[in-house]
Amino acid sequence: DQEYAWYLPQLEITLRGSYNIYDKIYAKVDFTIKGGRKSPNGILNPDPTADKQFDADLIADANLHLEYRYNKRISAFVQLNNFASQQYMRWYNAPVQQFQALGGVTFRF
């Protein structure tokens, strides 16, 4: 009974790539563009002059993952998310983190 699928993008383009150097260094890149989202009553971007349906802003998101494998059992990694540091609502009252950095060491035994 709804006019639109609220908060879902009409256009989503994702580019992904990965690279492996001598089975030691792994790199993964992910770039996503989302557009054409609609929010009821302008909830995502309120404007008193807006119509009942409101178009939300374009979202551009980039992520990077780097990993160094010392051997088959020990590795270290760093993951960087949302390079553009965009602040937006994925859903109503569900904001995304602006910029995230995660790092760690893995051990297998």
Side-chain angles (χ1 to χ4, degrees):
D1 295 332
Q2 297 290 316
E3 273 185 87
Y4 298 101
W6 303 116
Y7 312 112
L8 294 178
Q10 292 179 1
L11 171 69
E12 184 172 350
I13 299 171
T14 302
L15 300 172
R16 290 189 178 124
S18 61
Y19 194 70
N20 177 357
I21 303 171
Y22 303 116
D23 287 329
K24 288 286 187 188
I25 299 173
Y26 293 85
K28 296 178 189 175
V29 176
D30 172 333
F31 182 71
T32 304
I33 295 175
K34 295 179 183 180
R37 298 183 320 144
K38 302 223 185 257
S39 66
N41 300 321
I43 290 173
L44 292 183
N45 197 357
D47 180 1
T49 62
D51 293 338
K52 187 175 180 182
Q53 296 80 271
F54 186 80
D55 292 330
D57 292 336
L58 182 75
I59 298 170
D61 194 4
N63 307 309
L64 174 66
H65 178 91
L66 296 172
E67 181 177 2
Y68 174 74
R69 293 187 180 168
Y70 180 71
N71 57 31
K72 290 184 178 183
R73 295 178 180 230
I74 301 172
S75 68
F77 70 92
V78 64
Q79 183 172 336
L80 306 173
N81 296 323
N82 198 357
F83 268 34
S85 193
Q86 274 194 328
Q87 185 177 8
Y88 61 91
M89 295 271 197
R90 175 151 174 89
W91 307 103
Y92 178 62
N93 277 340
V96 298
Q97 290 287 340
Q98 286 185 321
F99 177 75
Q100 290 179 329
L102 174 68
V105 179
T106 59
F107 296 99
R108 295 181 189 181
F109 47 102

